[in-house]
Each structure stands twice: as structure tokens, then as C-alpha cells.
Amino acid sequence: MLMRRNNKFHGSFRPRHWQFNAISAILLSLSQTSCGFNFAAPLHVNNGASVPRSKLLISLHAFASSSDYGSMKRHKKRTQLRRKRKNDTPSHRKSFRTHSFAVENNTRYDNCRVFDWLLRSTEHVLGGNYQWSDGAFAFSSIQHSQSTDSDSECSSALPLHFASHMDYLFQAETVMKSWVKWISQRPRNNMNTTERFSLNNVSGLSSVDGAQIVETILNQTLYVYDEWEALKGQTLKTSHLTVSRADLVNIAIDARACCKTNDRSSVDSAVKLLKLLQKEDNEQQIVTCANEATYRGVIKACISSRTPQDLEKAINLLEEISSVSTVCPTVNRGYEYCKGALGGLETKLFPTTQTYNLVLYGLANCNPCVKNAERAELFLNQMIFDHKRGSGHHCYPDSNTFRQVVSAWTKSGSDLADKNARRILSMMLDDFPSVPPDASTYNAIMTLYMRNGQTQDVLALFGQMTFDGRTRPDSYSLNLMLKARISKLTEFTLSKMEEIDSLLESMKSLYHVRPSVESFNIVIDAWAKSNLPESAYRAESLLDRMEQQCRRGDMIVAPDSYTFTSVLNAISRLKHHRGRGLWAERVFKRMKSMHADGLVEAPTTPVYNALLHALITSNEKGALSRAESVFAKMGAMANTRTYNIMIKSHSTVVEDANGRLTSFARPSKAKALLEQMEHCNVKPDAYSYTTVICAYSRSNVKRKALKAFSILRRMIKSGIRPTIYAFNGVLTACSHTYLREEKVQAFTILVSTLILIREWTKPDDTTYGVLLKGCDRLLPKDENRKKQVLNLVFRELQFQADPELHASMMMKFMNMDGGDHELMATCD
């Protein structure tokens, strides 16, 4: 509402004359009635000027959102005080968290007010046929209410508190459109209970519930519309119609098209609404009072379901548009006038560019394939042909049309997708100079090039886009260019990485696009993968720059979890840096501090994993205990990678500066973590089992060969396919068995493992090397059986491996301590 104080208006805008008239009329009606606004009473303005109905209803909606005029004044005063405190607050104390909480509370308050207005407006339109109780909608049938008054010949479908049919139709149309806007802002129906009562869904109603309410309003509105036509008869002129039957049905169809559901109920309801407007003439041809917008709404509902069946239905509706005749009382865009057999004003429908674009979008996103891409190109050619022939006045291809066809080819998976997409773009540039391509068209082709590893083509197409001057690159285009420049590097040098940094800094000056958080993440990740000595320092300097801009209010570059993960990965890759673990912990505490200030999100699981990896690989004193403390705090956030990192920490052998072992692996703790994974419903993968097997092979526990083989059998029983690394770990545990009483058992496990290898995978050079070492150590040297076994192993190696591998294995065995040179001579 507006405030007038001392002949001065307070607010962000000055009121207009129609707002004075509307407010005066509303306040006057309130003063004349004792129980709210009298809708049936005529409105008299102070200066006698006429008020448009739409503007009057807007002011009425704004007034209905507040309880009284005094409460609005108090709300205005509180808003001014909040703004004053916000402006007086120092910049370093302003946090994104406080701002987000304020926005959340205000948004929830506004949503409650909007929903309350929708309820009261629906009750007003439906009259006594509507009830709201216990969080649910209950409607009484109109036919039932009419049957109870069948004795009265004066019964009318128009509610008593409406002065005329036109007023009712206008207000019903407004309420229905408001419900459609409310439906378009609802979350999807496949949400849980918490999401249903979230910030944007304060009522707990889904979009399907809102569409059903719109259809209920439509049913009663059509009764009123039919009664209005019956009363007017033939005296009603076509030019006086402001609301048609097709317009009312179109609103209900739009409500179904905006429903975010995965079932086909919305499509079926939209088709039923379309059939309400169709009938057959004497020649068995379809005649309808629907317009092109009606068909477009049904097609939109079909495309929104994203199923191949509904996509075919949308294509059939597109072809049906040109084959039907329509009788419409108003002149609308989307049909040509012609004289028909019905004797009245008949029109011929034809699809517009928007309708074609909807079908092309469905072909590009609903089950993308080569067939759909070819059909999309056929529709494009048909639009071009119809426009050149002169039959398609409103189907001229625009930039969205070409973008959808290009997107259909890039998502088709064809080997010639890049060439066909580039051909469509060239046709657009050469034959349609008045239709400039947008950045999304170039981005679709560049994304395909990046997926295929064609980095040079990405850079060439980006250069064409910037050189042409008709299309300005966006942030996504520049990110693709940065990825292509980084992927093109054969080796990471300091000079080349500094060029990437300079590109990031010059984005705003060269391309008039500010770098986003994704742009910074790409460069930080490149520094992390460069393995340069200064990579971690450069990555952290970019993080400092992002934090400075973020604290100045530029939230577009606020760091996310990927940013901190990349910085931690850069720190963990510094092999010769002392104190990597402490450095990683400082970065992690920095993220928690920024989260406390409301600048970034809370640390996620990938951030914790990067911190654990940095601590474990640092080899610092007490790093493992600190990692276990961090792991204990994660709780349910731990995933498979988290457990794998901790299992890896217990399977590592630590050596001192002289190469002597200072710490053996701890297979018991690794196995306990594996059992904890299964208990916490975290599914282990092949890496989890293989790491536990390697922990046994690197330890000095008793009967480690048997324990490693039991983990291998457990892995196979759980349904996970073992890799050659798991088998090599068991063979290594067997070959490093030194106790005399365990050698027979270890040799038996070695042979059993060799048999299993042939069932699951193919041996490699490590397999044969460990096998030879195990045979040499486990079999007594004075037995002929040892020579026979080694001879079989060498013959197997000779047939299975290539000649170079066979020769290298022979040389390795000869150089081993205790290698049998006489046996090698016999094998040669």
C-alpha cells in the first residue's frame, strides 16, 4: 500500500491516478459494509474517473494481503528501520548467512500471504461450492447444488455476490492465472515430506493439487459462461467478447503443463481438456473452437513428461494443427481467416515458432538419438520451406530453433554429430543473417568437442564466436575455453600456467564477463594437477582472491566445496614439503570459519576426504591419530572413498631416511574398517578388499597368506569381481611367508590362487614374478619337485607372455637371492 505523510509519498515509486481511484473505491466500500469488501456493490470513485478492472484487482490483491491499514503502516516502519540498520552496519560485519536467513524468512512470509490470498479468492469465486479444512480441499458438485434447487426456475450458475457474468468471468480468469503461476513455482512431486513443506511450498500442496483446483474453477466458470451465452443469444457481437471458452480452457491446460510430475496424469488431463473444445461437422472433419495456444499448451504438457510415448503424441498434435478448422470469436495470433462450411467465421490454424521450438526441445531432450536428431532437422527444413512459400507467417526460425536442432545432434551420440551440428551452425550464419546465434548454440558444439577430446576445435570455434562479433560469449563459453587450453598442455610448466592465470584475470576486460566460481575452480584444479613446486601456493593465492571478493559482497565467486578440495589436493601432492598436514588443517579451518560467517557452505564429504588424504600422505608425527580424529567426527558423512583412504593408511609401510622399515602395516585395523563399512551400509568396492589384502601382504603377522586368501574369497562371495592386483596381493603374502610350519599351507594357497586367476582375469608380469619368487622360497632346494614346478611356471610364462616379458622374468629370477641358475639353463 501507499503512504502519504505531509503531502509527500514514501516509497520506491510514485502512485498513479488509477491507484488513487482504486484505493478510494476499496476504502469506501469497506466503510459501507460491516463484514469486509462488498463485491456485489458498484464501485464509485472520488473524482468520477473510470478504473480499469485489471488495475483495480491488482490493488485489491495488495490490500487483501494485509490485515488492516495500521498493520501495513507498522510493517512499513519496521522495513525502514531494518534498512537503516543494514546501511549503518560495517561491511566486515555483514554476512551472507544473515542475509540468506532474512531472505528465507521474508520469502516464507510472502508465500504464506500469497497462498492465503489464493484460498480466499478461490472461496469467493466458487462461492458455497468450496471448503478448506484440515489442510485439504473438499468440493461439492455444482450439479448437486443445482438439483437441490430444481424446483426453482430462477436458479443460476452465477454466485449471488457477483453483479454480472462479465465480472465473474474476469475474476475467475484472474484467480486461475494466479494458481498457474503458483503451480510453476512448486517443487517436483517426487519429494519427501520435508521438501513438500519447504521454503517455496509452505502449504504442503503439490503442483498436481493446484492443477486440480484450477480445473474445478474451470468447471463452474464454464457453467457461468454457457449461461451467459444463452442469455445473450445472437444479440452478442463478436467484438464485445473479452473472455472466450478457449482462453479459459487454455489456463487449465497451462496448469497441467506446469505440473512437475513424472507420471502421465497431466498429459491425459490436458488431452481431455483439448477434447472439450473439439467436435465433428457433417463431413466428419474436426472442428474446434481451440486456438493455437491450446495445442501449444497440450504439446508443452507432453514434452514436460519426457517420455518417448508423449513425445510422439506431441508430434502428432503438431501435425494436427494444420488439419483442423476453428471457430473463434476474436482475432488471435496463430490462424488465418477463411469462409467455412459452418456459415460462420471460421479460421485455419497453423503452428507458430514457439510450438515448433517445443517439439524440437522434446526431440533434443526426450530420449536423444540419431533418429530424433534427423527428425528435428526435418522440422527445421519444413519451417524454412513454409516461410519461403509464404504459408508460414509465424513459423520463421529464430535462434532458439537452431539451438534445439544443434542440441539434438550433439546429444544424439552419432559419429557424425560434430559435423552435422557444425553444418547447422554454418547454415544459420550464412542463410539467416538476421538471426544471430546465441552463446548456448556455440556452447553445445564446444561441449561435444570437449567430450570427444577435440580441444583444438574448441579453441577454433571460440575464436570464431569472438571474431564474428554477433555473439558475445558467456561464462560457460569462457570456462570451456579454459578447459581446452589446459587440456591442450602436454606438460605443465610455470610459464604456461601463468598464461592460464592471465586469462582468468583478463576475462572481464577482454570479454566483458566476470569470472565465476567455476572459472576459478578450473584454474585451481589445473595448478593442483601440475605438480609444480609452487602449485599449492598459487592455488591458495587464488583462494585468497576469491575470499576477498566474497567478503566485499561479490557472492558469484564464493568458494564451494570443489574449490577447497582442489586446494587440499594441491597441498597433498607436495612430496618434499614438510608440514603438509598442518597446512591442510589450516585450509580446512579456514573453510569452517567462512562457513561460520555465512560465506560458504559447510564442509562436504569430498573436502573431508581431501583432508584425510593430505594428513595420511604427509608422514608427519601424529598425523595418523589426527586423521582418525577427523574420521570419527564425520560419522554418517563417510562414504566408500573415506573408508578406502583410512584403510590405505593402515596398509602403508613407513621407511626412514636410510630405507629401514620403521612401521609395518596394520591389517587388523584395516579389516576392522572393512567390517565397519558393511555394518554402516557403506558398500565396499574392489579397492577396499584389495587394500586389506595388501595390508596382510606387507605385515609380519602369522598366517598372513591364509588371512589374505580369506579376504579374497570374501570379496568373490560379495559379488565384486576381483582384479589382478588382488590376486597379486595374495601371491605376495604367500611368497613372503618365512616360518617353516606355514610354508606348506602358503604353497597350497599359492597354487589355489593361480587356479582362480585363470577364472577371473589375465596374469601380468608381476604375477609371474611373485609366483617364481614364491616357488623358490616355499619349496626345498634339494628336491626334484622344485625343479619340475619351476619348469612348468617358465613354460607357462613362455606361452602366455610375450618374448620380452619372458626374457625379463628370467633375468629377474637369475638376479634373485638364491636363484637356481642351473634350472634356468635347463629351461633355456
Side-chain angles (χ1 to χ4, degrees):
M1 296 296 292
L2 304 175
M3 297 182 63
R4 184 183 180 96
R5 186 179 301 168
N6 299 329
N7 295 326
K8 294 182 180 180
F9 293 95
H10 299 268
S12 59
F13 63 96
R14 291 183 59 85
R16 299 180 181 178
H17 69 282
W18 62 267
Q19 291 171 329
F20 276 121
N21 299 336
I23 295 171
S24 301
I26 294 170
L27 295 178
L28 181 60
S29 297
L30 285 174
S31 62
Q32 294 175 356
T33 58
S34 59
C35 56
F37 187 66
N38 187 4
F39 291 93
L43 295 177
H44 302 282
V45 298
N46 293 337
N47 54 3
S50 60
V51 182
R53 287 189 175 91
S54 59
K55 297 181 179 180
L56 177 60
L57 197 58
I58 293 173
S59 300
L60 176 60
H61 297 169
F63 186 82
S65 301
S66 61
S67 59
D68 54 5
Y69 186 71
S71 64
M72 181 57 70
K73 291 175 62 177
R74 291 191 294 272
H75 177 69
K76 184 75 172 181
K77 187 65 176 178
R78 288 194 297 268
T79 303
Q80 292 177 352
L81 292 176
R82 282 196 299 269
R83 290 178 180 176
K84 184 177 183 303
R85 286 196 297 267
K86 180 179 179 181
N87 296 331
D88 296 340
T89 304
S91 59
H92 68 276
R93 294 183 58 188
K94 294 180 181 179
S95 64
F96 175 75
R97 183 181 182 186
T98 305
H99 174 69
S100 62
F101 286 167
V103 171
E104 178 179 352
N105 293 332
N106 292 336
T107 306
R108 184 178 294 275
Y109 176 68
D110 293 339
N111 289 337
C112 292
R113 295 175 61 190
V114 170
F115 184 72
D116 181 65
W117 176 84
L118 284 173
L119 288 181
R120 290 188 284 110
S121 300
T122 307
E123 290 177 354
H124 174 70
V125 170
L126 295 178
N129 301 315
Y130 173 85
Q131 283 185 348
W132 168 263
S133 62
D134 297 333
F137 291 93
F139 300 96
S140 60
S141 176
I142 298 176
Q143 289 83 354
H144 176 71
S145 63
Q146 290 181 351
S147 62
T148 55
D149 299 334
S150 58
D151 297 336
S152 175
E153 297 180 356
C154 300
S155 61
S156 173
L158 182 68
L160 298 177
H161 50 270
F162 282 95
S164 64
H165 292 77
M166 284 297 298
D167 291 339
Y168 178 85
L169 293 176
F170 173 74
Q171 293 191 24
E173 181 186 24
T174 303
V175 174
M176 291 169 64
K177 288 181 178 179
S178 301
W179 274 111
V180 172
K181 185 176 180 181
W182 182 88
I183 293 170
S184 62
Q185 299 174 355
R186 295 308 96 195
R188 297 194 65 88
N189 279 0
N190 53 355
M191 55 186 174
N192 54 33
T193 307
T194 305
E195 293 173 342
R196 285 178 66 92
F197 293 91
S198 60
L199 171 65
N200 296 323
N201 197 20
V202 294
S203 62
L205 295 178
S206 64
S207 56
V208 178
D209 298 332
Q212 293 175 354
I213 297 172
V214 174
E215 291 180 3
T216 304
I217 300 175
L218 174 66
N219 291 334
Q220 178 159 339
T221 306
L222 291 180
Y223 281 110
V224 177
Y225 187 87
D226 294 339
E227 182 180 289
W228 180 44
E229 284 187 337
L231 292 176
K232 295 297 181 181
Q234 299 297 329
T235 59
L236 185 63
K237 296 184 179 180
T238 303
S239 58
H240 292 166
L241 288 176
T242 57
V243 180
S244 64
R245 180 186 297 270
D247 295 334
L248 297 174
V249 176
N250 290 349
I251 299 174
I253 293 176
D254 290 340
R256 285 294 180 179
C258 294
C259 288
K260 303 177 179 64
T261 178
N262 295 329
D263 55 8
R264 303 185 69 252
S265 60
S266 298
V267 179
D268 297 337
S269 300
V271 173
K272 290 180 181 179
L273 291 172
L274 175 63
K275 291 181 179 180
L276 290 177
L277 303 176
Q278 293 180 346
K279 62 179 180 179
E280 293 183 358
D281 59 358
N282 298 330
E283 298 179 359
Q284 304 260 336
Q285 293 182 354
I286 298 177
V287 179
T288 178
C289 61
N291 50 29
E292 197 272 342
T294 310
Y295 282 92
R296 184 169 66 245
V298 180
I299 291 174
K300 183 180 178 181
C302 296
I303 299 301
S304 299
S305 64
R306 292 180 176 269
T307 58
Q309 298 83 0
D310 293 332
L311 176 61
E312 295 297 329
K313 184 178 293 185
I315 295 175
N316 295 333
L317 287 173
L318 178 64
E319 297 174 353
E320 182 184 330
I321 294 179
S322 303
S323 62
V324 298
S325 301
T326 182
V327 179
C328 191
T330 57
V331 180
N332 290 325
R333 177 186 177 186
Y335 37 84
E336 298 172 342
Y337 281 92
C338 62
K339 191 67 175 178
L342 296 180
L345 187 62
E346 297 186 17
T347 61
K348 182 180 179 181
L349 294 179
F350 57 87
T352 60
T353 304
Q354 296 179 356
T355 309
Y356 272 109
N357 291 345
L358 282 174
V359 176
L360 293 176
Y361 176 83
L363 292 172
N365 296 276
C366 303
N367 191 19
C369 58
V370 179
K371 179 182 177 181
N372 287 345
E374 294 175 349
R375 297 169 73 180
E377 190 170 352
L378 288 177
F379 279 119
L380 174 63
N381 296 331
Q382 180 180 349
M383 293 177 67
I384 297 173
F385 176 76
D386 292 342
H387 181 74
K388 290 182 179 180
R389 191 179 59 179
S391 59
H393 299 283
H394 301 288
C395 63
Y396 186 76
D398 57 2
S399 59
N400 188 19
T401 308
F402 288 96
R403 180 174 67 248
Q404 299 303 333
V405 178
V406 169
S407 178
W409 274 115
T410 56
K411 298 177 182 178
S412 63
S414 172
D415 297 335
L416 303 176
D418 54 344
K419 296 181 180 179
N420 291 326
R422 194 67 180 265
R423 176 174 51 82
I424 298 297
L425 178 62
S426 301
M427 179 179 66
M428 181 181 184
L429 294 173
D430 298 337
D431 301 340
F432 295 88
S434 61
V435 182
D438 53 5
S440 300
T441 307
Y442 284 97
N443 294 343
I445 303 177
M446 289 192 293
T447 303
L448 178 62
Y449 284 151
M450 282 296 300
R451 196 185 309 137
N452 297 336
Q454 302 170 265
T455 56
Q456 189 63 35
D457 294 333
V458 174
L459 298 176
L461 188 59
F462 180 82
Q464 177 184 349
M465 177 173 58
T466 55
F467 179 78
D468 186 17
R470 300 168 60 187
T471 306
R472 177 180 294 182
D474 57 4
S475 178
Y476 188 78
S477 309
L478 294 172
N479 293 341
L480 289 173
M481 183 267 295
L482 286 175
K483 290 181 180 179
R485 291 288 298 269
I486 294 171
S487 301
K488 190 180 177 182
L489 298 177
T490 56
E491 59 177 348
F492 291 93
T493 59
L494 183 59
S495 59
K496 293 180 180 179
M497 288 303 303
E498 287 179 348
E499 291 179 2
I500 301 297
D501 267 352
S502 62
L503 281 176
L504 182 65
E505 295 177 358
S506 60
M507 284 177 61
K508 187 174 182 180
S509 59
L510 292 179
Y511 305 106
H512 307 286
V513 177
R514 292 193 306 168
S516 61
V517 61
E518 289 81 9
S519 308
F520 280 95
N521 289 344
I522 292 170
V523 180
I524 292 175
D525 186 65
W527 276 111
K529 296 177 180 178
S530 64
N531 293 327
L532 295 174
E534 49 276 293
S535 60
Y537 300 97
R538 292 298 186 91
E540 192 174 17
S541 65
L542 290 174
L543 178 61
D544 296 338
R545 178 180 167 187
M546 296 175 70
E547 183 179 358
Q548 291 175 2
Q549 296 184 16
C550 179
R551 293 190 180 277
R552 288 198 300 263
D554 189 7
M555 301 305 299
I556 194 176
V557 294
D560 55 7
S561 60
Y562 190 87
T563 310
F564 287 95
T565 303
S566 300
V567 174
L568 292 173
N569 290 336
I571 295 173
S572 63
R573 291 180 181 179
L574 294 178
K575 300 298 182 182
H576 303 288
H577 185 277
R578 295 182 179 180
R580 286 179 293 166
L582 296 175
W583 190 358
E585 288 178 327
R586 288 198 301 269
V587 173
F588 182 76
K589 291 180 180 178
R590 180 178 182 178
M591 182 180 184
K592 296 182 69 175
S593 176
M594 294 180 66
H595 171 66
D597 295 339
L599 299 176
V600 298
E601 58 182 342
T604 58
T605 301
V607 179
Y608 277 102
N609 293 343
L611 174 62
L612 291 175
H613 186 265
L615 288 172
I616 291 171
T617 57
S618 63
N619 293 331
E620 296 177 3
K621 185 177 180 180
L624 182 58
S625 61
R626 300 202 303 270
E628 291 177 348
S629 176
V630 173
F631 174 73
K633 293 179 181 178
M634 291 183 64
M637 293 178 61
N639 56 8
T640 304
R641 177 169 172 78
T642 310
Y643 281 96
N644 289 344
I645 293 173
M646 297 304 299
I647 292 174
K648 180 68 175 178
S649 65
H650 297 300
S651 65
T652 306
V653 178
V654 181
E655 299 179 353
D656 58 6
N658 299 326
R660 294 174 299 183
L661 296 179
T662 59
S663 176
F664 287 93
R666 295 164 293 276
S668 59
K669 293 186 177 181
K671 184 181 178 181
L673 285 173
L674 183 63
E675 295 175 351
Q676 184 179 351
M677 291 180 68
E678 299 172 350
H679 180 71
C680 297
N681 295 327
V682 179
K683 187 176 181 180
D685 56 1
Y687 185 85
S688 307
Y689 289 99
T690 305
T691 309
V692 177
I693 293 173
C694 293
Y696 278 107
S697 64
R698 295 168 184 171
S699 66
N700 56 354
V701 299
K702 294 182 179 181
R703 301 187 181 277
K704 61 181 181 181
L706 178 61
K707 295 178 180 179
F709 187 71
S710 65
I711 297 296
L712 177 63
R713 300 288 295 182
R714 185 176 177 179
M715 177 182 182
I716 297 174
K717 187 177 180 180
S718 63
I720 298 177
R721 185 179 183 85
T723 60
I724 190 59
Y725 302 105
F727 291 107
N728 292 342
V730 177
L731 295 177
T732 304
C734 296
S735 62
H736 286 80
T737 301
Y738 300 103
L739 296 178
R740 187 184 297 258
E741 60 272 12
E742 297 180 7
K743 286 188 176 181
V744 176
Q745 187 184 48
F747 182 77
T748 305
I749 294 173
L750 186 140
V751 176
S752 302
T753 305
L754 183 61
I755 296 173
L756 285 175
I757 289 177
R758 297 180 178 180
E759 298 179 5
W760 294 96
T761 184
K762 184 178 179 181
D764 58 358
D765 55 346
T766 304
T767 307
Y768 289 106
V770 177
L771 184 61
L772 289 172
K773 185 183 293 185
C775 293
D776 182 63
R777 292 180 178 178
L778 297 177
L779 294 177
K781 295 183 179 180
D782 55 352
E783 289 187 3
N784 295 329
R785 188 182 303 173
K786 177 180 179 179
K787 294 183 180 181
Q788 295 177 2
V789 173
L790 291 177
N791 192 11
L792 291 175
V793 172
F794 273 108
R795 290 185 184 275
E796 183 73 15
L797 176 62
Q798 184 177 3
F799 287 110
Q800 295 291 335
D802 54 353
E804 296 181 358
L805 177 59
H806 180 258
S808 64
M809 288 293 101
M810 293 176 64
M811 295 302 298
K812 287 181 179 180
F813 185 74
M814 291 177 64
N815 296 329
M816 286 192 312
D817 296 336
D820 199 335
H821 299 277
E822 181 180 356
L823 177 63
M824 295 298 299
T826 59
C827 291
D828 291 339

